[in-house]
Amino acid sequence: MSTQTDTTTNTPGARATDIDDVRQAGYRAAATPIGETLLVAGPLLRAAGLSVPEGSVAVAVAESDSLAVRYRDVDADSSVGPAGAVGTDTVLVVSGMIARVPWARDADTVIVLVDTPGGPVVFDATSDVTIFDAETDLAGNPLATLVFDGMTVADPAPVRREMADDTRLRIAAVHALLIAGAAERCAEMTVMHTATRRQFGRTLDHFQAVKQNQAILLEEVALVRAVSALAGRHLVAADPSPLDAAARDAVMAAVVQASASAGEIARLSHQLHGAIGFTELSELHEFTTRLWAWREAIDSGDWATQLGSAAIVSGADGLWTMITETTEETL
């Protein structure tokens, strides 16, 4: 396994250009887990002291009840926890399944993050896991089920609890960047359509209602681009450390806004296309279905509730600081 290196500083870590690479993947509807590879797997593996493999990496995050994890060589003399909670070494036995893992079938490497009796660990499951192409998301991208049948993990790498807890938020931020890219392409197609389609002797962009809705569309696209870029900058700045409280709040705000904007951008794009973009043969359809799929992936984390709870805890005096404490200029 080789370490991904920043060619500018010659030190391992995510780069500022990774943000644009992920956004471009959304803009081009690229069928690849580039965001998970650059901004999720890379920091997680580096935090665990592992090198980042060549090629694409899919990330599977196990729910608390999806996998049964125990030590293979149990310390029989230990009275801590249930049987198997303490081992004489670090070798684990993993059973169970993880559902709806994006790109697991297509990626060059599959890594798994799971809680164990000794804390969170990450390990490479590429060769020993059974992968089923179970379903797809709303855009038709593959979601696989990973099945572990008593799989032995000889070298699980421990990860700090805070870093493990950040992983789902990092995945949500990747989806926000993908939404930003797809939203930009939707806007381009919509502006071109309204500038060339003619009704009643003039192009659509000469009608006041079209102008108004197009302005709202462009505002939403600019907003999601800005908030997702800020989230991406936080991920790059933190790599490979956990996000601090201010960074988590800023990234959660970004993914909540991207989720809200995705639906509005898709609605306005279809409306300004006269709904013709709903057909599968339309290029617009390819991008709006991705907006919906990535919005669904973000919403699964319930980030709005978490952000609201953080705002309540901060209180009236702390709310303004929470809003203004992190900007691109402070990163």
Side-chain angles (χ1 to χ4, degrees):
M1 300 175 83
S2 62
T3 301
Q4 183 188 52
T5 301
D6 187 317
T7 56
T8 302
T9 64
N10 201 33
T11 57
R15 300 162 293 187
T17 54
D18 293 344
I19 302 170
D20 291 327
D21 290 342
V22 178
R23 187 166 53 225
Q24 279 295 310
Y27 178 85
R28 301 182 186 281
T32 174
I34 183 172
E36 290 88 339
T37 301
L38 295 176
L39 298 177
V40 183
L44 187 59
L45 290 170
R46 285 188 284 271
L50 301 175
S51 59
V52 181
E54 298 283 353
S56 59
V57 185
V59 181
V61 182
E63 300 288 350
S64 59
D65 58 350
S66 61
L67 295 182
V69 183
R70 61 179 177 83
Y71 287 104
R72 186 189 64 182
D73 302 312
V74 178
D75 184 353
D77 296 329
S78 174
S79 58
V80 177
V86 179
T88 58
D89 53 32
T90 61
V91 181
L92 298 172
V93 177
V94 181
S95 301
M97 64 176 61
I98 306 175
R100 297 179 64 84
V101 180
W103 306 109
R105 171 69 73 180
D106 304 274
D108 298 304
T109 304
V110 179
I111 64 169
V112 177
L113 175 65
V114 63
D115 225 349
T116 75
V121 301
V122 62
F123 62 88
D124 185 337
T126 306
S127 58
D128 297 318
V129 67
T130 302
I131 302 176
F132 295 100
D133 289 327
E135 52 189 313
T136 61
D137 64 17
L138 292 171
N141 293 318
L143 299 171
T145 294
L146 277 55
V147 178
F148 304 82
D149 186 12
M151 172 182 169
T152 299
V153 181
D155 53 352
V159 181
R160 287 175 58 184
R161 170 66 62 187
E162 296 86 354
M163 192 68 186
D165 291 344
D166 281 347
T167 300
R168 292 189 187 279
L169 183 54
R170 286 177 174 271
I171 293 172
V174 164
H175 288 126
L177 284 163
L178 292 170
I179 286 172
E184 187 175 342
R185 184 67 187 122
C186 287
E188 288 180 357
M189 287 186 285
T190 302
V191 169
M192 181 176 294
H193 176 80
T194 59
T196 55
R197 185 81 173 210
R198 300 183 68 86
Q199 290 288 341
F200 306 109
R202 52 182 175 167
T203 56
L204 294 178
D205 59 4
H206 281 78
F207 292 91
Q208 186 60 39
V210 171
K211 288 181 180 180
Q212 182 176 353
N213 281 339
Q214 190 161 281
I216 296 172
L217 170 64
L218 295 177
E219 288 172 359
E220 291 287 341
V221 172
L223 177 58
V224 73
R225 182 184 177 96
V227 297
S228 64
L230 179 60
R233 286 171 64 88
H234 274 293
L235 301 192
V236 170
D239 179 27
S241 302
L243 298 168
D244 61 25
R248 281 188 62 85
D249 290 343
V251 176
M252 282 194 290
V255 300
V256 169
Q257 183 60 60
S259 175
S261 293
E264 189 71 353
I265 290 165
R267 181 186 71 81
L268 288 167
S269 297
H270 281 297
Q271 186 175 32
L272 290 167
H273 272 78
I276 61 175
F278 275 110
T279 64
E280 291 188 5
L281 296 178
S282 167
E283 185 182 5
L284 182 63
H285 174 90
E286 183 178 13
F287 288 90
T288 53
T289 52
R290 278 170 167 75
L291 291 178
W292 292 324
W294 294 328
R295 177 185 63 179
E296 181 182 47
I298 285 177
D299 287 348
S300 65
D302 198 18
W303 303 114
T305 299
Q306 294 188 48
L307 183 62
S309 297
I312 292 171
V313 170
S314 70
D317 294 336
L319 181 58
W320 180 248
T321 301
M322 177 182 174
I323 294 171
T324 60
E325 138 178 72
T326 306
T327 66
E328 289 197 9
E329 288 73 20
T330 63
L331 288 173

